[in-house]
Amino acid sequence: MKPVFLAPLLLALSACGGGGGALGAVPAAGGAASGSPASGPTPTSPLGANVAGTVVRIPVDAYGPATIAGATYASADAMQSTPLANATVVAGPVPITGATPPAQLPLGDVSATTDAAGNFAMTLLVAPAAPSSAAPFVIPQDNLLGFIPPATGYYIEVFGTGTDGKSAGVPLPLHRFIGASTAIALRVSATSAAEAGALTAVNADRAANDAGPLIFDESAEEVARLHASDATTRGAYICHYDANDVGPSSRYLAVGGIGLTGEGVGIAIATDAPSAFQLIENGFLSEKTTKPPGGHFTNLMDPTHLWAGLAVSGPSKLPFNFNVDYDLITPSSQGSTGGASGYTAAGCPSGIVDNNS
């Protein structure tokens, strides 16, 4: 059956309603030894903390568990895990937004390598601190989850063997901010061929419109899978909000994400997942010619976005009915997509209202 894009089914506006925590500047390149801080002045007193934890790998399509408005969301295979050995874990006061660790870590950050059991340990020489004062946490106007960011802590990133933020089948990069007293248990998945192919298409379209490339982020990918899968269980469900009226920004907080969330959702009638992605992408691109350009297009081309979560779920209800979710993330407080109206409830079931969450 030839894929058919149904324009009336592509309804949700990709506005950026705020979310998560904000990151600072991308660190400079250079070189630093694993398990040690970057070159530069050494603090004279041990103000930091011993940081330890475990990293495991979960299946390609997994997400969760995440508790949102009292409901727990998890893929059927979410609890299947294996230790992620030889991964680089970076922690410290300066965030790293890329897909690989820089050659030289920012001053104060340290790194360690996971062992065969996925364990890591390191000692930071700086005290836990609040998120970057230049880019503090941004909370949705309607903070439905009652999210309270950690007062102090560290940025933490995981880069598995082969991680590049774009290829299928290799561990995704993970970027988070954790409280200093938080027990560290980190879970990393990988993308499918369809998800990786969708990112390739997104980046080609962004390049054609003078926007920089995106990389996958674990939290963004999990929240995209979560909402696409939830929409599939509800049938023809095209809505930024779930059945509990929780929006994209609050969902992103629930899975541990940091940053500002721009979400695009749609349904495509297609023969397979790659075709569904392409049909939705084509629909977003078609909004370039409207005056002014439509919200899906401006979200897709937002130059402040650095991370992506791209997911497809289905078929549901109809034999070839696929739900598609794009979560595009700006890891700073400078997101340009959106406005005071936040995420629209257009196309949502009765009882769902705009609440900018």
Side-chain angles (χ1 to χ4, degrees):
M1 179 177 179
K2 184 178 179 181
V4 179
F5 175 70
L6 301 185
L9 292 182
L10 187 63
L11 298 175
L13 175 64
S14 298
C16 178
L23 292 172
V26 178
S34 176
S36 62
S39 59
T42 300
T44 57
S45 60
L47 297 175
N50 294 321
V51 174
T54 303
V55 184
V56 298
R57 181 166 177 168
I58 57 178
V60 166
D61 59 350
Y63 62 87
T67 300
I68 303 174
T72 298
Y73 296 79
S75 61
D77 55 1
M79 302 315 295
Q80 300 175 20
S81 66
T82 56
L84 186 63
N86 299 315
T88 299
V89 181
V90 181
V94 182
I96 295 170
T97 60
T100 59
Q104 180 173 339
L105 296 178
L107 183 63
D109 283 10
V110 300
S111 69
T113 302
T114 57
D115 64 17
N119 299 316
F120 67 91
M122 61 185 82
T123 300
L124 282 82
L125 299 180
V126 294
S132 169
S133 60
F137 276 87
V138 180
I139 306 301
Q141 291 182 16
D142 189 345
N143 182 16
L144 296 182
L145 303 180
F147 175 78
I148 300 175
T152 61
Y154 301 105
Y155 292 98
I156 191 164
E157 297 86 22
V158 176
F159 308 102
T161 302
T163 294
D164 61 5
K166 60 183 181 181
S167 298
V170 297
L172 291 178
L174 179 148
H175 314 83
R176 293 197 178 153
F177 183 84
I178 62 169
S181 61
T182 300
I184 305 174
L186 303 172
R187 298 157 60 83
V188 175
S189 67
T191 53
S192 66
E195 291 165 346
L199 183 64
T200 298
V202 166
N203 282 337
D205 291 331
R206 283 174 62 90
N209 288 274
D210 300 318
L214 306 176
I215 63 169
F216 283 114
D217 166 71
E218 179 66 29
S219 298
E221 187 60 29
E222 287 198 35
V223 80
R225 291 171 182 161
L226 185 158
H227 194 52
S229 296
D230 185 55
T232 295
T233 65
R234 302 182 192 285
Y237 190 90
I238 316 171
C239 183
H240 284 303
Y241 301 96
D242 65 16
N244 294 316
D245 219 1
V246 177
S249 300
S250 289
R251 282 196 299 272
Y252 191 53
L253 296 177
V255 301
I258 47 178
L260 297 172
T261 310
E263 184 191 66
V265 294
I267 290 179
I269 308 303
T271 55
D272 53 33
S275 299
F277 271 126
Q278 190 59 61
L279 292 172
I280 296 301
E281 182 86 359
N282 291 345
F284 291 171
L285 292 173
S286 71
E287 296 183 5
K288 180 179 181 178
T289 59
T290 63
K291 302 294 182 181
H296 296 97
F297 177 79
T298 57
N299 179 56
L300 191 66
M301 301 305 164
D302 187 335
T304 70
H305 291 331
L306 297 183
W307 302 336
L310 309 174
V312 60
S313 179
S316 68
K317 195 168 185 178
L318 300 174
F320 303 103
N321 188 0
F322 288 86
N323 292 87
V324 177
D325 189 291
Y326 284 38
D327 272 276
L328 309 181
I329 310 298
T330 296
S332 75
S333 59
Q334 304 306 311
S336 61
T337 301
S341 61
Y343 289 102
T344 178
C348 294
S350 176
I352 301 297
V353 299
D354 294 352
N355 62 33
N356 206 20
S357 66

